[in-house]
Amino acid sequence: MLTKVQIRRVLDTMGEMFPDAHCELNHSTPFELAIAVVLSAQCTDALVNKVTPGLFAKYNGPEDFLEVPIEELENDIRRIGLFRNKAKNIKKLARTVVEQYQGSLPESRDELMELSGVGRKTANVIASVAFDVPAIAVDTHVERVSKRLGICRWKDSVLEVEKTLMRKIPEDEWSVSHHRFIFFGRYHCKAQSPQCEQCPLLEICREGQKRMKQRVGNER
């Protein structure tokens, strides 16, 4: 497992590699962000960003989602995986926001998690990006990178990864670290082809060293 000094190096290095890391889901309001994050489950941000411009042009707020039949909303998001289930969640989410929160998205994570289609990860993203609440949302990239580097254990659950990162990373860096871990995992330490040979963290990365040894062995 990485030491406190090594984790500081990880954070600084990721900051140098991805100084402008940010949420890549296009949105202009907290509610639009919530819809985009719900749509992004098991789907790429790039695909979501192809669908949301037309969606948000048609639906200006939660009230608009309640005025159309579910079949129409399904058709509007048909390119997104699991679109039927997501359409149901969006309708329920919009109704809750209108009926319980006067049309404005709640700001607390606990209240966000009560919305349909919003789990802990989604609530953390919304709280962090829309309301500047310090949070670490653990998606597939954050989990993979933290475990490969040895910040977290391989056997850790998603919740354990979140709690470990919150404990080992300064609170005022939670949100920016979340985005940098995602960029690091999405564009550098990829699931199938991590760029270990040119990684500035190779000498402290247990997984990277293992992969490089295997690569050398295969070349002999």
Side-chain angles (χ1 to χ4, degrees), residues 56-73:
F56 295 153
K58 178 177 179 178
Y59 302 93
N60 293 318
E63 297 85 357
D64 291 346
F65 284 96
L66 301 181
E67 294 177 358
V68 300
I70 186 71
E71 294 80 10
E72 184 174 344
L73 178 55

Side-chain angles (χ1 to χ4, degrees), residues 121 137-144 158 178 181-182 186:
K121 182 200 77 172
V138 179
D139 71 351
T140 181
H141 300 297
V142 175
E143 180 180 10
R144 179 176 68 253
V158 170
H178 153 73
F181 269 65
I182 289 177
R186 181 176 288 162

Side-chain angles (χ1 to χ4, degrees), residues 29-58:
T29 68
F31 181 77
E32 287 186 358
L33 175 62
I35 298 302
V37 179
V38 168
L39 290 174
S40 72
Q42 299 181 46
C43 179
T44 65
D45 289 359
L47 179 56
V48 173
N49 285 337
K50 291 179 181 178
V51 172
T52 50
L55 191 70
F56 295 153
K58 178 177 179 178

Side-chain angles (χ1 to χ4, degrees), residues 61 63 69 91 94 96 109 111 148 191 193 208:
E63 297 85 357
K91 293 276 278 187
T96 301
R109 185 176 67 183
E111 288 177 314
R148 280 181 173 174
S193 54

